[in-house]
């Protein structure tokens, strides 16, 4: 009760501070006056009465201060502490700058990386109840997350008990006639409930109604916000109008909101419905779709998987031809979307965290050294009556101030670094990661930063305070106590340095392994020569080029026209993808004259022109290439890759053998005429799959890719490709012009490996610097504390060499322990991230050895400076210094 | 000149409370009263009265209000509150106990 009363009184005084002060002053002035009057009445002169009154009264200023302190709150003294702390920091700019910049560096790295982690892993997907959404696909041993056939989808949808809705989508691209010429626009076709399953409502118009995806329904399309803005001028009256996509007219029924993202097909502008009518759609063994589903409340992903697997097993019995070995995969949709980058982000977060730890350890040891050198100040202050609580508060204030300055700086630079890092992501990759858009200082990021700052503040205020309590166990005003306190500091400080060295070792090894993985990835055998290759893909209108002869003719025309360009050596065409575009587009093959039990021999199938392998510089191992004359009028032929040869013809010569589809339908049977080196069709870090290549002239298509081998710089040829193709027919759209080297460098696997190697490398470099600075600090401090001892040793005849040894031995011991512990931790850490390593083991001895040597050399260099300072001590000076 | 005995620590509050039992006084008045009542033996370092007054006000043992003096000057007058009177009682009895205890020790020695 009393304390509440006091609180309010204090508050009242605080709110009327001016009044309180002036009242007090008036009261004191009145006192003076009265006393003066009285003294004068006793016969003093006016002047001496005045001074006597002042003298009797005492130190008015101090008394006012005392009064204020009595009625004031604690924070007023905090303010005092704060001012003193600021003065302390200003007085010692070297210390202040070092501590603040180390702290800011650690904060910056960890906050920036956390922002990415937050955007990708923590922030929920932008759909209704996203944690109930799953990705549903079929699964085969070679492809754990394969795709879904339309007929299987219909059965799954009908038979399941676990999904409140199940829908499919397939990426598609549409040929669009625009004022600027023909263009391909990415799109997707979806089943009717796709947007309802996600929980996305159109911004304008309506959603697809149930049954709108059936072949009988009229063709309709929904636009993304971007397409509406850029292709239709954001006109509000687009609903009901029609748009021609790949020669077919669609009615626009809706516009999606700007917030809509669908990372797996982010760039899709036109969303149409399935309209299952193609041969592939109606064949149970053709798998073009990906499924998304919303699991019912109370159903776990595991239950959903079990249920779906049971249905898949049932279908396998029912349709043994098409569904043999077709299992099911059900994973959270967030795994589908961010599964690839999760381990990398976690490794980066780990690296940034370690860096932050080193920075904090370094600042802590700086603070300890400083509290050591402020020993006398503290002793004087406590002798003058400062309570130990007050001293602790002083340290806490200094720690808080450091953290506030370092934290603010770190947060500001983190915001900048985030923008820098997102700008470094290639546009194509960025479009697959829509969740990174608007990356910045979100509430969660700021909270994370504050949590770190809070922990750092606790660490930085308690370490010197703890140090203080140790100090007070001893007399401190005398300088003689130096030896023992030095030992104590040495023990603690050296532990800190060992920790720093070990962390630096972990980061260096991590960076080394990631760098080596990246190197391995770029120097992998691609099965072709990637330099001097320009690539582009074309999409020709079905109406003019859909027939067999038209396709063959277009192919020949393109090869001839591009081949005539200056600097072009040869031109190849490929239908169903260029190297590195991805495994998939597979066929099931069967061998003529061998027993067959319905197994699915899954191989990459590509249709390529006669000069394709020569253009890529892919080695022919056996047999021959195609000729341009091998068209539909000639016998069907096929070239296989080495993996197929090894896997299916282990002990025989494949040349002359016959391969067909799983039914051995007569039209599908082809004779093997050649074996080529394994071309890497999938991502750099993927397995080589068996592949077979048949002549483009025996299976042309109206959309395909072109690859050009040039004698000059491939970039200069690249810019001519577009115009050349449009000269043949302006209605042919081109897309994806890129040099092969750029495709490799910008491919997702290369990018992820490169960025993680660079970032962890950066962390490691900074960590190395910080830990070396830390070691230098410890050794230099110990030397400065032992100047007297060294002086005595020298005076007694010790050799300078012995002094060197004395100092270096200590540093070497610390370094050895640090590296030893670091070695163990590195192997453990590398084992945790082995999923990110490519072609290198987690205990790669050369990496470990090189890192250990680098660290040892850096550490020795850092301790050499204080050692030579110690050796050059003048014994007379050192002894006189006391 | 002989140094006057210093006030025992902690007794200033008690003296202030005591002088105010008769009538409200301003700060200077309190100083004078202490001086006169102790027949010039106890002099407070006059200024230290003011922090002490703030402390007592904060505890709620005194009340203060601005009034005119006889010479028509504005001054702050302090009045003892009921709580202050109670506090004075406890302090006095504690003080007496201590004094008798000290007295016994000194007689013995």
């Amino acid at each position: 009760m009393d304390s509440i009363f006091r609180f309010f009184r204090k508050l009242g005084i605080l709110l009327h501070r001016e009044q309180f002060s002036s009242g007090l002053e008036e009261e004191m002035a009145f006192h003076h006056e009265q006393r003066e009057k009285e003294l004068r009445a006793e016969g003093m002169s006016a002047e001496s009465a005045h001074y006597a009154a002042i003298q009797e009264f005492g130190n008015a200023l101090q008394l006012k201060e005392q009064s204020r302190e009595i009625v004031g709150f604690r924070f007023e003294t905090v303010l005092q502490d704060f001012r003193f702390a600021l003065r302390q920091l200003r007085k010692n700019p070297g210390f202040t700058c070092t501590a603040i910049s180390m702290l800011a560096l650690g904060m910056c790295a960890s906050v920036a990386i956390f922002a990415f982690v937050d955007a990708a892993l923590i922030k929920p997907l932008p759909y209704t109840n996203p944690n109930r959404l799953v990705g549903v696909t079929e699964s085969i041993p070679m492809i754990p997350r394969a795709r879904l056939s339309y007929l299987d989808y219909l059965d799954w949808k009908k038979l399941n008990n676990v999904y409140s809705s199940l829908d499919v989508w397939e990426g598609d691209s549409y040929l669009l006639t625009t004022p600027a010429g023909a263009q391909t626009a990415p799109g997707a076709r979806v089943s009717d409930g796709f947007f309802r399953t996600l929980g996305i409502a159109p911004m304008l118009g309506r959603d697809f109604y149930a049954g709108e995806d059936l072949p009988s329904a009229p063709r309709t399309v929904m636009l993304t916000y971007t397409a509406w803005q850029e292709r239709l001028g954001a006109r509000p009256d687009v609903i009901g109008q029609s748009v021609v996509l790949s020669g077919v007219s669609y009615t626009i029924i809706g516009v999606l909101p700007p917030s809509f993202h669908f990372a797996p097909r982010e760039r899709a502008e036109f969303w149409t419905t399935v309209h299952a009518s193609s041969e592939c759609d109606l064949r149970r063994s053709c798998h073009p779709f990906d499924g998304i589903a919303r699991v019912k409340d109370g159903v776990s992903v595991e239950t959903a998987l079990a249920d779906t697997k049971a249905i898949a097993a049932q279908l396998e019995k029912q349709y043994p031809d098409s569904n043999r070995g077709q299992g099911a995969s059900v994973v959270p949709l967030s795994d589908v979307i961010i599964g690839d980058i999760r381990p990398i982000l976690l490794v980066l977060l780990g690296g940034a965290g370690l860096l932050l730890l080193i920075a904090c350890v370094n600042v802590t040891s700086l603070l300890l050294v400083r509290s050591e050198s402020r020993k006398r100040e503290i002793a004087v202050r406590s002798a003058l009556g400062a309570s130990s609580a007050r001293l602790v508060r002083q340290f806490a204030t200094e720690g808080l101030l450091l953290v506030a300055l370092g934290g603010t700086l770190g947060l500001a630079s983190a915001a900048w670094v985030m923008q820098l890092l997102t700008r470094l992501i290639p546009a194509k990759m960025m479009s697959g990661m829509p969740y990174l858009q608007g990356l910045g200082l979100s509430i969660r990021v700021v909270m994370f930063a504050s949590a770190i700052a809070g922990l750092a503040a606790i660490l930085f205020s308690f370490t010197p305070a703890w140090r203080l309590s140790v100090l007070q166990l001893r007399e401190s005003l005398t300088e003689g106590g130096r030896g023992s306190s030095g030992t104590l500091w040495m023990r603690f400080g050296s532990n800190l340095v060992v920790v720093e060295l070990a962390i630096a070792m972990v980061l260096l090894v991590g960076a080394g392994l990631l760098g080596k993985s990246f190197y391995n990835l770029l120097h992998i055998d691609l099965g072709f020569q990637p330099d001097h290759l320009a690539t582009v893909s074309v999409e020709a209108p079905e109406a003019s080029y859909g027939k067999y002869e038209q396709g063959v003719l277009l192919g020949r025309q393109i090869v001839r026209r591009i081949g005539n360009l200056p600097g072009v050596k040869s031109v190849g065409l490929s239908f169903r993808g260029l190297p590195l575009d991805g495994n998939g587009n597979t066929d099931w093959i069967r061998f003529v004259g061998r027993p067959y039990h319905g197994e699915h021999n899954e191989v990459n199938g590509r249709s390529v022109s006669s000069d394709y392998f020569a253009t890529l510089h892919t080695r022919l191992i056996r047999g021959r290439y195609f000729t341009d004359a091998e068209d539909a009028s000639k016998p069907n032929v096929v070239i296989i890759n080495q993996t197929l040869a090894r896997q299916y013809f282990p002990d025989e010569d494949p040349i002359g053998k016959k391969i067909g589809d799983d039914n051995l339908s007569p039209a599908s049977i082809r004779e093997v005429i050649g074996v080529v080196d394994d071309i890497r069709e999938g991502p750099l870090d993927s397995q080589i799959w068996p592949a077979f290549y048949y002549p483009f002239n025996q299976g042309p298509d109206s959309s395909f890719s072109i690859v050009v081998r040039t004698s000059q710089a491939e970039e200069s040829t690249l810019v001519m490709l577009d115009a050349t193709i449009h000269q043949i027919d302006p209605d042919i759209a081109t897309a994806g012009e890129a040099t092969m080297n750029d495709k490799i460098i910008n491919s997702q696997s290369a990018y992820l490996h490169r960025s993680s190697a660079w970032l962890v490398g950066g962390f490691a470099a900074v960590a190395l610097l910080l830990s070396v600075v830390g070691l230098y600090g410890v050794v230099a401090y110990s030397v400065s504390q032992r100047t007297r001892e060294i002086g005595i040793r020298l005076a007694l005849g010790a050799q300078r060499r012995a002094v060197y040894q004395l100092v270096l031995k200590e540093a070497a011991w610390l370094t050895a322990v640090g590296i030893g512990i670091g070695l163990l931790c590195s192997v453990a850490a590398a084992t945790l991230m082995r999923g990110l390593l490519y072609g290198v083991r987690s205990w790669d001895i050369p990496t470990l050895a090189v890192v250990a040597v680098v660290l040892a050399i850096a550490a020795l260099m850092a301790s050499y400076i204080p050692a030579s300072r110690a050796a050059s001590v003048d014994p007379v000076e050192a002894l006189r210094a006391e | 000149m002989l140094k006057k005995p210093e006030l025992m620590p902690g007794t200033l509050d008690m003296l202030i409370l005591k002088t105010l039992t008769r009538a409200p006084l301003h700060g200077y008045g309190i100083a004078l009263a202490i001086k006169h009542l102790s027949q010039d033996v106890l002099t407070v370092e006059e200024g230290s009265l003011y922090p002490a007054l703030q402390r007592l006000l904060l505890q709620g043992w005194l009340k203060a209000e601005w009034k005119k003096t006889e010479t028509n000057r504005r001054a702050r007058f302090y009045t003892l509150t009921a709580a202050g009177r109670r506090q004075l009682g406890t302090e006095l009895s504690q003080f007496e106990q201590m004094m008798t205890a000290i007295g016994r020790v000194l007689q013995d020695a």
Side-chain angles (χ1 to χ4, degrees), chain A residues 388-466:
Chain A
S388 74
R390 184 70 204 258
L391 286 175
V392 168
R393 217 159 64 213
Q394 178 62 45
F395 281 115
T397 313
E398 286 182 34
L400 275 174
L401 194 59
L402 271 186
V403 170
L405 291 172
T408 314
L409 196 63
L411 204 60
S413 46
W416 180 75
V417 165
M418 282 174 218
Q419 301 312 316
L420 185 77
L421 286 178
T422 38
R423 269 204 298 277
L424 288 179
I425 300 176
K428 199 177 146 214
M429 271 205 63
M430 191 65 188
S431 73
M433 302 191 285
Y435 40 82
L436 291 186
Q437 284 168 15
L439 188 82
L441 295 178
S442 70
I443 291 183
R444 273 186 302 267
V445 174
V446 172
M447 266 161 53
F448 174 79
S450 324
I452 293 181
L455 287 178
I458 291 174
L459 181 68
F460 297 158
S461 21
F462 276 89
T463 325
W466 165 80

Side-chain angles (χ1 to χ4, degrees), chain A residues 32-275:
Chain A
H32 275 298
E33 248 169 64
Q34 294 296 91
R35 183 65 190 145
E36 237 179 285
K37 225 185 269 175
E38 201 169 303
L39 287 172
R40 277 218 304 274
E42 283 172 18
M44 263 195 204
S45 73
E47 199 181 342
S48 44
H50 180 71
Y51 286 114
I54 288 178
Q55 207 175 357
E56 275 177 35
F57 193 77
N59 187 342
L61 209 62
Q62 198 187 345
L63 290 165
K64 267 186 249 172
E65 196 57 41
Q66 258 178 39
S67 314
R68 236 174 259 140
E69 209 166 301
I70 287 168
V71 300
F73 285 101
R74 190 53 68 71
F75 82 83
E76 297 182 53
T77 58
V78 168
L79 211 64
Q80 265 179 12
D81 283 348
F82 178 77
R83 271 192 230 109
F84 182 71
L86 211 59
R87 243 187 353 253
Q88 280 288 329
L89 294 183
R90 253 209 312 263
K91 223 172 65 185
N92 218 327
F95 162 79
T96 310
C97 290
T98 319
I100 287 178
S101 50
M102 280 197 279
L103 200 58
L105 202 72
M107 283 279 278
C108 172
S110 50
V111 170
I113 296 296
F114 179 80
F116 280 84
V117 171
D118 172 51
L121 308 185
I122 300 177
K123 197 171 74 187
L125 296 174
Y127 311 120
T128 310
N129 271 335
N131 52 348
R132 317 273 336 136
L133 288 172
V134 289
V136 181
T137 59
E138 296 187 29
S139 171
I140 56 171
M142 197 159 81
I143 319 174
R145 284 186 48 73
R147 285 190 170 162
L148 195 53
S149 76
Y150 187 64
L151 296 179
D152 285 344
Y153 156 64
L154 292 181
D155 285 333
W156 286 19
K157 189 172 176 160
K158 195 167 63 198
L159 298 173
N160 83 77
N161 300 309
V162 288
Y163 306 119
S164 54
S165 62
L166 171 62
D167 283 279
V168 288
W169 63 276
E170 183 202 4
D172 206 343
S173 74
Y174 299 108
L175 197 60
L176 214 61
T177 318
T178 71
Q183 283 182 1
T184 55
R189 49 189 199 127
V190 300
S191 57
D192 50 20
F194 180 82
F195 293 106
R196 282 187 291 281
T197 295
L198 291 180
I200 298 288
M203 182 186 82
L204 280 181
R206 63 169 177 88
D207 196 353
F208 297 120
Y209 58 72
E212 204 165 1
D213 57 351
L214 297 176
S216 55
R219 297 272 187 175
T220 48
V221 62
M222 285 173 86
L223 308 179
T224 59
Y225 184 78
T226 320
W228 178 58
Q229 293 270 310
E230 288 170 9
R231 298 206 186 266
L232 289 146
R235 290 196 313 272
D237 60 346
V238 291
I239 307 298
Q241 295 189 352
S242 61
V243 58
V244 178
L245 304 173
S246 298
V248 181
S249 176
Y250 290 80
T251 308
I252 299 173
I253 60 151
V255 176
L256 291 160
S259 59
F260 168 70
H261 291 300
F262 189 65
R265 189 64 184 164
E266 179 53 22
R267 285 174 309 146
E269 298 179 47
F270 296 96
W271 294 78
T272 65
T273 54
V274 169
H275 273 81

Side-chain angles (χ1 to χ4, degrees), chain A residues 641-822:
Chain A
N641 73 353
Q642 257 196 307
T643 300
L644 196 153
R646 223 178 284 128
Q647 195 166 326
Y648 294 106
F649 302 97
D651 308 310
E652 42 187 337
D653 182 1
I655 305 293
K657 296 287 186 301
K658 291 205 159 62
I659 298 177
D661 65 12
D662 52 335
N663 298 318
L664 282 187
S665 56
S668 74
I669 295 177
R670 301 174 173 278
E671 185 182 327
V672 177
I673 57 157
V675 180
V676 289
D677 212 353
D678 287 334
I679 295 177
R680 201 160 287 270
E681 300 287 352
L684 292 171
D685 52 357
S686 66
Q687 290 280 320
I688 295 277
W689 289 7
F692 76 151
Y693 305 86
Y694 47 90
F696 186 79
N697 290 350
Q698 292 182 346
D701 194 86
S702 59
S703 59
F704 50 87
S705 306
I706 305 171
V707 55
V708 183
R709 166 91 35 202
T710 63
S711 53
Q712 60 192 35
E714 57 265 44
E715 287 84 0
S716 57
T717 305
L718 196 63
V719 295
M720 294 188 286
L721 293 179
D722 231 15
T724 313
I725 291 162
H726 285 142
Q727 273 167 24
I728 298 171
D729 184 343
D731 288 342
I732 300 176
T734 59
E737 297 90 346
T739 68
M740 187 59 88
N741 272 335
D742 281 353
K743 272 180 78 162
I744 293 173
I745 289 291
N746 291 332
S747 72
Q748 171 154 329
S749 52
Y751 178 76
L752 290 181
H753 276 90
R754 182 178 60 223
S755 53
S756 54
W758 274 110
L759 280 174
V760 175
F763 293 162
V766 176
L768 177 66
L769 184 73
L770 290 188
S771 58
V772 165
V773 168
L775 180 70
Y776 168 80
V778 165
V779 176
Y781 182 75
S782 111
V783 166
S784 75
Q785 292 292 294
R786 290 165 72 181
T787 311
R788 197 177 144 103
E789 174 205 328
I790 292 167
I792 293 174
R793 281 171 188 262
L794 288 172
L796 292 179
Q799 295 294 309
R800 304 248 171 220
R801 212 160 46 94
V803 174
Y804 263 109
Q805 270 175 7
L806 188 75
V807 177
L808 288 181
K809 212 157 76 185
E810 178 194 320
W813 171 241
L814 289 180
T815 311
V817 175
I819 289 178
I821 295 174

